[in-house]
Amino acid sequence: MGTPFITFLEPSKLEGYVRGGTREAQPSNIPPSFLDAMEVREKVFVEEQKVPLENEFDVDDPRSCHWVIYASVNQVEEQEIRGDKGNIIQPRKSSTRSTPIGTIRAVPFPHEPHPVKGGKYWDGVLEGEKKDASEGGQEPPKTYVSDRPTTLHDGKEPYIKLGRLAVVPEFRGHRIAGQLVNAALAWLRNNPTYFNPNIREWGMEHIGINSERDIPSWNGLLCVHAQDQVEKFWGKYGFKTDAGMGEWEEEGIPHVGMFLRLDVNTDAAVMRQ
């Protein structure tokens, strides 16, 4: 494996994305790097963990930042052919492709309420509740609302959620996941105002505030909804398990909430235009 490289994708509208569709079925406006991210996610979450394909793309994808890590992979296109006497009639043909091998995303606030302790969620919906008709994988949540307080979150402070961290099986054990986490943390540290809402663009009614002094802003708080099997992995980066959030299931997989306070570089703050 050559030296991996990482690409960064800003939020994209992803208009017309076909949930559960093949790469060939997607419209031409979908960024190739997002399709690469989905290629990785489908290998890990759909094929390996048996999450339904149509559930993998969600309402947060269009408004999130995505990172995709690639490696140069040599693939055999035609096998060598030898004659009866062992002489080579056709040499083996191969090509090298920059193959997506891992991905992660950062989801801006606002978020859905913290999961219910012991709750079972399917495609983002708590068991026993109905999915809102407006949720089709394209529209972000409309307003900022207070949440229930937990051990590590007061229920009000805006936070950014890291998620969909995935590395294809054949490239695990090479610290690929760590490279992705470090890339996301470094970018967030240096772009602390990127996700802060623009009052001129959204308006106070959309944000759910009464005056400009109440505009929510990010102060370095990060959250992950971690599968319990990778709780220790996230702990290596300083994330602490939020006991008050409890444990719940997403697509049948146990999860816990974890938080980290990131030191942000306010001198480098630049708001997204």
Side-chain angles (χ1 to χ4, degrees):
M1 179 179 68
T3 302
F5 65 93
I6 298 176
T7 61
F8 169 73
L9 176 66
E10 294 185 280
S12 305
K13 292 183 178 180
L14 304 178
E15 291 178 334
Y17 186 86
V18 182
R19 289 186 65 172
T22 64
R23 189 183 187 106
E24 292 72 25
Q26 305 303 335
S28 59
N29 62 288
I30 305 298
S33 55
F34 180 75
L35 297 178
D36 291 339
M38 291 301 295
E39 179 180 323
V40 173
R41 285 162 51 174
E42 288 172 11
K43 285 182 179 179
V44 174
F45 300 124
V46 177
E47 297 177 15
E48 188 176 353
Q49 299 186 355
K50 308 306 179 185
V51 172
L53 178 59
E54 61 272 16
N55 290 8
E56 182 49 37
F57 178 86
D58 68 8
V59 68
D60 288 326
D61 275 318
R63 66 193 191 101
S64 297
C65 288
H66 301 264
W67 290 261
V68 183
I69 190 167
Y70 297 82
S72 296
V73 178
N74 188 269
Q75 297 177 320
V76 176
E77 296 179 343
E78 294 182 13
Q79 294 290 346
E80 177 183 89
I81 299 177
R82 290 179 177 268
D84 295 338
K85 297 181 179 181
N87 56 308
I88 297 177
I89 298 176
Q90 175 181 295
R92 184 177 63 177
K93 295 182 180 180
S94 62
S95 63
T96 300
R97 179 202 176 201
S98 292
T99 302
I101 61 173
T103 188
I104 192 174
R105 75 179 185 183
V107 185
F109 50 94
H111 301 285
E112 294 296 322
H114 292 318
V116 175
K117 292 182 181 180
K120 296 182 179 181
Y121 291 80
W122 192 260
D123 196 17
V125 181
L126 179 64
E127 185 178 58
E129 296 185 353
K130 294 183 178 180
K131 191 176 183 70
D132 292 339
S134 60
E135 293 184 13
Q138 296 294 334
E139 295 296 330
K142 298 298 183 183
T143 58
Y144 293 72
V145 297
S146 296
D147 207 341
R148 67 178 176 90
T150 63
T151 305
L152 301 177
H153 185 231
D154 63 4
K156 298 179 180 179
E157 181 178 354
Y159 63 89
I160 292 172
K161 185 166 66 175
L162 294 181
R164 292 303 200 273
L165 174 61
V167 176
V168 297
E170 56 267 36
F171 284 91
R172 292 171 191 164
H174 297 282
R175 300 183 178 179
I176 300 300
Q179 291 184 55
L180 286 163
V181 172
N182 284 329
L185 294 181
W187 186 88
L188 290 167
R189 186 180 292 111
N190 290 312
N191 295 273
T193 61
Y194 182 86
F195 287 127
N196 289 349
N198 187 324
I199 190 68
R200 289 172 295 181
E201 178 183 357
W202 295 107
M204 288 191 292
E205 181 179 352
H206 171 88
I207 299 175
I209 60 174
N210 296 317
S211 66
E212 291 193 15
R213 66 174 178 270
D214 297 323
I215 297 175
S217 61
W218 186 60
N219 193 36
L221 188 63
L222 293 172
C223 177
V224 293
H225 289 179
Q227 294 184 12
D228 60 357
Q229 63 180 334
V230 294
E231 183 178 358
K232 290 183 179 179
F233 168 84
W234 286 105
K236 294 178 181 178
Y237 296 89
F239 284 86
K240 305 296 183 183
T241 301
D242 190 325
M245 191 178 293
E247 185 173 300
W248 67 95
E249 290 186 6
E250 295 179 16
E251 269 67 35
I253 303 172
H255 282 68
V256 295
M258 306 180 75
F259 282 92
L260 166 69
R261 174 74 66 181
L262 191 68
D263 291 329
V264 297
N265 183 2
T266 55
D267 293 335
V270 176
M271 184 173 291
R272 176 161 55 110
Q273 300 298 317

